[in-house]
Amino acid sequence: MTIKTPPSFNVPGLGVDPLTQRINEKQKKWKYKIAVLSGKGGVGKSTVAVNLAAALAKLGYFVGVLDADVHGPNIAKMLGVEKAEILAEKVDDHFEMIPPTTDFMGQVTPIKVMSMGMMVPEDQPIIWRGPLVTKALKQLLGDVKWGELDFMIIDFPPGTGDQILTITQTLELDAAIIVTTPQEVALLDTGKAVNMMKQMNVPYVAVIENMSYLICPHCGNKIDLFGEGGGEKLAQKEEVDFLGKVPIDLKAREVSDLGIPIVLYEDTPAAKAFMEITQRFVKKLEEMKKEE
Protein backbone atom coordinates (compact mmCIF):
# COMPACT_ATOMS: atom_id res chain seq x y z
CA MET A 1 0.00 0.00 0.00
CA THR A 2 1.49 3.33 -1.06
CA ILE A 3 0.53 6.20 1.19
CA LYS A 4 0.02 9.47 -0.63
CA THR A 5 -0.28 12.88 0.95
CA PRO A 6 -1.99 16.03 -0.24
CA PRO A 7 0.20 18.53 -2.12
CA SER A 8 2.18 21.01 -0.02
CA PHE A 9 1.40 24.71 -0.16
CA ASN A 10 4.15 26.27 1.93
CA VAL A 11 4.20 29.30 -0.36
CA PRO A 12 4.25 32.68 1.43
CA GLY A 13 0.71 33.94 1.71
CA LEU A 14 -0.95 30.57 1.13
CA GLY A 15 -0.48 29.21 4.65
CA VAL A 16 0.51 25.76 5.92
CA ASP A 17 -0.24 22.65 3.88
CA PRO A 18 -3.39 20.77 4.99
CA LEU A 19 -1.55 17.69 6.35
CA THR A 20 0.72 19.75 8.60
CA GLN A 21 -2.32 21.67 9.79
CA ARG A 22 -4.06 18.43 10.75
CA ILE A 23 -0.98 17.23 12.65
CA ASN A 24 -0.87 20.49 14.58
CA GLU A 25 -4.54 20.19 15.51
CA LYS A 26 -4.25 16.53 16.53
CA GLN A 27 -1.21 16.95 18.76
CA LYS A 28 -3.12 19.49 20.86
CA LYS A 29 -5.23 16.52 22.01
CA TRP A 30 -2.20 14.51 23.19
CA LYS A 31 -1.13 15.44 26.71
CA TYR A 32 2.36 13.96 26.44
CA LYS A 33 4.29 13.15 23.27
CA ILE A 34 7.11 10.72 23.99
CA ALA A 35 9.93 9.56 21.69
CA VAL A 36 11.64 6.22 22.31
CA LEU A 37 14.93 5.94 20.46
CA SER A 38 18.50 4.74 20.48
CA GLY A 39 21.62 5.52 18.51
CA LYS A 40 21.87 1.90 17.31
CA GLY A 41 19.78 -1.16 16.62
CA GLY A 42 19.59 -4.32 18.68
CA VAL A 43 19.20 -2.72 22.11
CA GLY A 44 15.51 -3.58 22.57
CA LYS A 45 14.15 -0.12 21.77
CA SER A 46 10.81 -1.42 20.49
CA THR A 47 10.49 -3.72 23.50
CA VAL A 48 10.85 -0.68 25.76
CA ALA A 49 8.31 1.32 23.71
CA VAL A 50 5.74 -1.50 23.79
CA ASN A 51 6.12 -2.17 27.50
CA LEU A 52 6.10 1.51 28.38
CA ALA A 53 2.82 1.84 26.47
CA ALA A 54 1.33 -1.24 28.14
CA ALA A 55 2.48 -0.11 31.60
CA LEU A 56 0.89 3.32 31.08
CA ALA A 57 -2.34 1.69 29.88
CA LYS A 58 -2.21 -0.60 32.90
CA LEU A 59 -2.10 2.51 35.09
CA GLY A 60 -5.28 3.71 33.39
CA TYR A 61 -3.87 6.17 30.87
CA PHE A 62 -5.10 6.34 27.27
CA VAL A 63 -2.16 5.57 24.99
CA GLY A 64 -1.36 5.66 21.29
CA VAL A 65 1.70 3.98 19.77
CA LEU A 66 3.12 5.06 16.42
CA ASP A 67 5.75 2.83 14.83
CA ALA A 68 7.97 5.36 13.05
CA ASP A 69 10.44 2.69 11.94
CA VAL A 70 9.08 2.44 8.40
CA HIS A 71 11.81 0.08 7.13
CA GLY A 72 11.70 -2.28 10.12
CA PRO A 73 8.21 -2.07 11.63
CA ASN A 74 7.54 -4.61 14.38
CA ILE A 75 5.38 -2.76 16.93
CA ALA A 76 2.16 -4.20 15.48
CA LYS A 77 3.40 -7.77 15.95
CA MET A 78 4.66 -7.04 19.46
CA LEU A 79 1.23 -5.70 20.38
CA GLY A 80 -0.64 -8.53 18.66
CA VAL A 81 -2.40 -6.44 15.98
CA GLU A 82 -0.26 -7.18 12.92
CA LYS A 83 -3.20 -8.85 11.14
CA ALA A 84 -5.73 -6.15 12.00
CA GLU A 85 -7.66 -4.67 9.08
CA ILE A 86 -7.04 -0.97 8.54
CA LEU A 87 -10.31 0.87 7.94
CA ALA A 88 -10.74 4.49 6.96
CA GLU A 89 -13.55 7.02 6.97
CA LYS A 90 -14.02 10.35 5.25
CA VAL A 91 -13.47 13.45 7.37
CA ASP A 92 -14.32 16.70 5.57
CA ASP A 93 -12.29 16.57 2.33
CA HIS A 94 -9.92 13.69 3.20
CA PHE A 95 -9.86 10.14 4.54
CA GLU A 96 -8.51 9.16 7.95
CA MET A 97 -7.39 5.68 9.00
CA ILE A 98 -8.87 4.15 12.14
CA PRO A 99 -6.06 2.73 14.29
CA PRO A 100 -6.60 -0.81 15.59
CA THR A 101 -6.82 -1.09 19.38
CA THR A 102 -5.79 -3.77 21.84
CA ASP A 103 -6.64 -4.09 25.52
CA PHE A 104 -5.28 -7.61 26.15
CA MET A 105 -8.65 -9.02 27.20
CA GLY A 106 -9.47 -6.03 29.37
CA GLN A 107 -6.23 -5.97 31.34
CA VAL A 108 -5.42 -2.41 30.24
CA THR A 109 -7.18 0.61 28.79
CA PRO A 110 -7.39 0.30 24.96
CA ILE A 111 -4.09 1.08 23.24
CA LYS A 112 -4.30 2.58 19.75
CA VAL A 113 -1.63 1.32 17.33
CA MET A 114 -0.49 2.37 13.88
CA SER A 115 2.39 0.86 11.93
CA MET A 116 3.39 0.20 8.36
CA GLY A 117 3.75 -3.40 9.54
CA MET A 118 -0.04 -3.74 9.31
CA MET A 119 -0.15 -2.57 5.70
CA VAL A 120 2.41 -4.77 3.96
CA PRO A 121 3.18 -8.52 4.14
CA GLU A 122 5.71 -9.23 6.87
CA ASP A 123 8.35 -10.51 4.43
CA GLN A 124 7.96 -7.63 1.96
CA PRO A 125 10.56 -4.84 2.27
CA ILE A 126 9.51 -1.20 2.04
CA ILE A 127 12.02 0.16 -0.45
CA TRP A 128 11.40 3.88 -0.26
CA ARG A 129 13.67 6.89 -0.49
CA GLY A 130 13.70 9.53 2.24
CA PRO A 131 11.05 11.94 0.87
CA LEU A 132 8.44 9.18 0.54
CA VAL A 133 9.20 7.91 4.06
CA THR A 134 8.78 11.46 5.37
CA LYS A 135 5.39 11.77 3.68
CA ALA A 136 4.29 8.41 5.05
CA LEU A 137 5.25 9.34 8.61
CA LYS A 138 3.39 12.62 8.40
CA GLN A 139 0.31 10.85 7.13
CA LEU A 140 0.49 8.32 9.98
CA LEU A 141 0.40 11.31 12.31
CA GLY A 142 -2.10 13.54 10.54
CA ASP A 143 -4.41 11.16 8.69
CA VAL A 144 -5.17 8.75 11.54
CA LYS A 145 -8.06 9.13 13.99
CA TRP A 146 -5.94 9.20 17.14
CA GLY A 147 -8.41 11.21 19.20
CA GLU A 148 -7.73 12.25 22.81
CA LEU A 149 -4.64 10.61 24.33
CA ASP A 150 -2.77 10.92 27.61
CA PHE A 151 0.39 9.58 25.97
CA MET A 152 1.48 9.32 22.35
CA ILE A 153 4.48 6.97 22.20
CA ILE A 154 6.59 7.17 19.04
CA ASP A 155 9.00 4.30 18.41
CA PHE A 156 11.81 5.79 16.31
CA PRO A 157 14.13 3.88 13.96
CA PRO A 158 17.76 3.31 15.02
CA GLY A 159 20.28 6.08 14.54
CA THR A 160 19.90 9.85 14.30
CA GLY A 161 18.72 10.19 10.72
CA ASP A 162 16.09 11.84 8.59
CA GLN A 163 12.99 10.07 9.97
CA ILE A 164 13.83 11.12 13.51
CA LEU A 165 14.50 14.68 12.40
CA THR A 166 11.18 14.81 10.54
CA ILE A 167 9.07 13.84 13.57
CA THR A 168 11.09 15.89 16.04
CA GLN A 169 10.58 18.99 13.89
CA THR A 170 6.90 18.17 13.27
CA LEU A 171 5.79 17.40 16.84
CA GLU A 172 6.31 19.32 20.05
CA LEU A 173 7.86 16.43 21.97
CA ASP A 174 7.60 16.47 25.76
CA ALA A 175 10.20 13.78 26.42
CA ALA A 176 12.69 11.42 24.81
CA ILE A 177 13.67 8.08 26.31
CA ILE A 178 17.04 6.81 25.10
CA VAL A 179 17.48 3.04 25.29
CA THR A 180 20.94 1.56 25.71
CA THR A 181 22.62 -1.63 26.82
CA PRO A 182 25.57 -1.62 29.25
CA GLN A 183 28.45 -2.30 26.85
CA GLU A 184 30.76 0.44 25.58
CA VAL A 185 29.91 0.03 21.88
CA ALA A 186 26.23 0.71 22.56
CA LEU A 187 27.05 3.71 24.72
CA LEU A 188 29.02 5.38 21.92
CA ASP A 189 25.95 5.45 19.69
CA THR A 190 23.28 6.09 22.31
CA GLY A 191 25.25 9.11 23.52
CA LYS A 192 24.70 10.63 20.07
CA ALA A 193 20.95 10.08 20.40
CA VAL A 194 20.95 11.83 23.79
CA ASN A 195 22.76 14.82 22.33
CA MET A 196 20.49 14.95 19.30
CA MET A 197 17.42 15.24 21.52
CA LYS A 198 19.12 17.91 23.63
CA GLN A 199 20.03 19.86 20.49
CA MET A 200 16.40 19.58 19.33
CA ASN A 201 15.38 21.18 22.64
CA VAL A 202 13.26 18.26 23.86
CA PRO A 203 12.30 19.35 27.41
CA TYR A 204 13.05 16.04 29.16
CA VAL A 205 15.62 13.44 28.10
CA ALA A 206 16.26 10.26 30.10
CA VAL A 207 18.11 6.94 29.73
CA ILE A 208 16.88 3.38 30.26
CA GLU A 209 19.37 0.51 30.38
CA ASN A 210 17.91 -2.60 28.74
CA MET A 211 19.36 -6.14 28.95
CA SER A 212 21.19 -5.03 32.08
CA TYR A 213 21.74 -8.47 33.56
CA LEU A 214 20.45 -12.02 33.56
CA ILE A 215 19.10 -13.89 36.56
CA CYS A 216 20.37 -17.46 36.18
CA PRO A 217 17.30 -19.74 36.07
CA HIS A 218 19.27 -22.51 37.83
CA CYS A 219 21.18 -20.82 40.66
CA GLY A 220 19.44 -17.42 40.88
CA ASN A 221 22.70 -15.48 40.61
CA LYS A 222 22.90 -12.20 38.69
CA ILE A 223 25.05 -12.41 35.55
CA ASP A 224 26.30 -9.21 33.87
CA LEU A 225 26.45 -10.46 30.29
CA PHE A 226 27.21 -7.06 28.76
CA GLY A 227 29.06 -5.35 31.58
CA GLU A 228 27.65 -3.21 34.33
CA GLY A 229 26.59 0.38 34.95
CA GLY A 230 26.93 1.71 31.41
CA GLY A 231 23.52 3.37 31.30
CA GLU A 232 24.07 5.21 34.57
CA LYS A 233 27.49 6.41 33.42
CA LEU A 234 25.99 7.71 30.17
CA ALA A 235 23.24 9.57 32.02
CA GLN A 236 25.75 11.12 34.41
CA LYS A 237 28.07 12.14 31.60
CA GLU A 238 25.29 13.77 29.57
CA GLU A 239 23.57 15.20 32.67
CA VAL A 240 20.20 13.56 32.03
CA ASP A 241 18.03 11.36 34.24
CA PHE A 242 18.56 7.63 34.56
CA LEU A 243 15.16 5.93 34.83
CA GLY A 244 16.34 2.40 35.62
CA LYS A 245 17.50 -1.02 34.47
CA VAL A 246 15.55 -3.79 32.76
CA PRO A 247 16.99 -7.31 33.12
CA ILE A 248 17.13 -9.96 30.40
CA ASP A 249 14.01 -12.04 30.91
CA LEU A 250 13.61 -15.32 29.01
CA LYS A 251 9.84 -15.02 29.40
CA ALA A 252 9.93 -11.66 27.61
CA ARG A 253 11.20 -13.20 24.38
CA GLU A 254 8.57 -15.92 24.55
CA VAL A 255 5.56 -13.66 25.09
CA SER A 256 6.81 -10.95 22.72
CA ASP A 257 6.60 -13.45 19.86
CA LEU A 258 2.96 -14.00 20.89
CA GLY A 259 2.21 -10.27 20.82
CA ILE A 260 2.00 -9.81 24.59
CA PRO A 261 4.12 -7.25 26.51
CA ILE A 262 6.10 -8.77 29.38
CA VAL A 263 4.82 -6.03 31.70
CA LEU A 264 1.50 -7.90 31.87
CA TYR A 265 3.28 -10.81 33.61
CA GLU A 266 3.51 -9.12 37.00
CA ASP A 267 5.62 -11.77 38.74
CA THR A 268 8.58 -11.48 36.33
CA PRO A 269 11.69 -9.35 37.00
CA ALA A 270 11.28 -7.44 33.72
CA ALA A 271 7.63 -6.61 34.45
CA LYS A 272 8.51 -5.21 37.86
CA ALA A 273 11.33 -3.15 36.35
CA PHE A 274 9.11 -1.70 33.62
CA MET A 275 6.37 -0.75 36.09
CA GLU A 276 8.85 0.98 38.41
CA ILE A 277 10.43 2.85 35.49
CA THR A 278 7.03 3.91 34.14
CA GLN A 279 5.82 5.20 37.50
CA ARG A 280 9.08 7.12 37.95
CA PHE A 281 8.71 8.59 34.46
CA VAL A 282 5.10 9.68 34.98
CA LYS A 283 5.98 11.31 38.30
CA LYS A 284 8.77 13.29 36.63
CA LEU A 285 6.50 14.50 33.81
CA GLU A 286 3.80 15.57 36.26
CA GLU A 287 6.35 17.48 38.33
CA MET A 288 7.53 19.28 35.21
CA LYS A 289 3.92 20.09 34.27
CA LYS A 290 3.36 21.73 37.65
CA GLU A 291 6.47 23.88 37.22
CA GLU A 292 5.26 25.35 33.92
Side-chain angles (χ1 to χ4, degrees), residues 57-78:
K58 195 174 176 183
L59 293 171
Y61 294 105
F62 289 97
V63 182
V65 184
L66 170 62
D67 188 348
D69 191 351
V70 171
H71 295 294
N74 49 29
I75 290 292
K77 181 172 179 60
M78 296 174 77

Side-chain angles (χ1 to χ4, degrees), residues 83 94 117 143 148 191 196 203 205 214 225 229 243 252 274:
K83 295 181 181 177
H94 67 283
D143 283 344
E148 301 270 352
M196 180 181 187
V205 182
L214 170 70
L225 291 176
L243 288 174
F274 274 122

Side-chain angles (χ1 to χ4, degrees), residues 3 67 134 165 225:
I3 295 181
D67 188 348
T134 296
L165 190 61
L225 291 176

Side-chain angles (χ1 to χ4, degrees), residues 247-277:
I248 297 171
D249 197 322
L250 301 181
K251 184 75 173 177
R253 193 276 312 159
E254 177 186 330
V255 298
S256 179
D257 288 347
L258 298 174
I260 306 170
I262 187 62
V263 77
L264 300 180
Y265 289 79
E266 298 178 1
D267 59 339
T268 62
K272 293 173 184 175
F274 274 122
M275 285 307 301
E276 289 173 5
I277 286 170

Side-chain angles (χ1 to χ4, degrees), residues 8 10 16-27 138 142 170:
S8 292
N10 289 319
V16 182
D17 74 90
L19 182 56
T20 300
Q21 213 162 23
R22 291 197 289 274
I23 294 171
N24 291 337
E25 288 302 312
K26 287 178 186 295
Q27 69 173 315
K138 285 189 173 182
T170 302

Side-chain angles (χ1 to χ4, degrees), residues 2-3 20 26 38 100 119 125 158 160 163 174 214 218 220 222 230 233 235-236 241 247 249 255 267 271 273 285:
T2 300
I3 295 181
T20 300
K26 287 178 186 295
S38 177
M119 302 179 197
T160 54
Q163 295 171 54
D174 295 284
L214 170 70
H218 304 293
K222 176 182 165 185
K233 291 175 185 174
Q236 289 172 0
D241 279 357
D249 197 322
V255 298
D267 59 339
L285 291 178

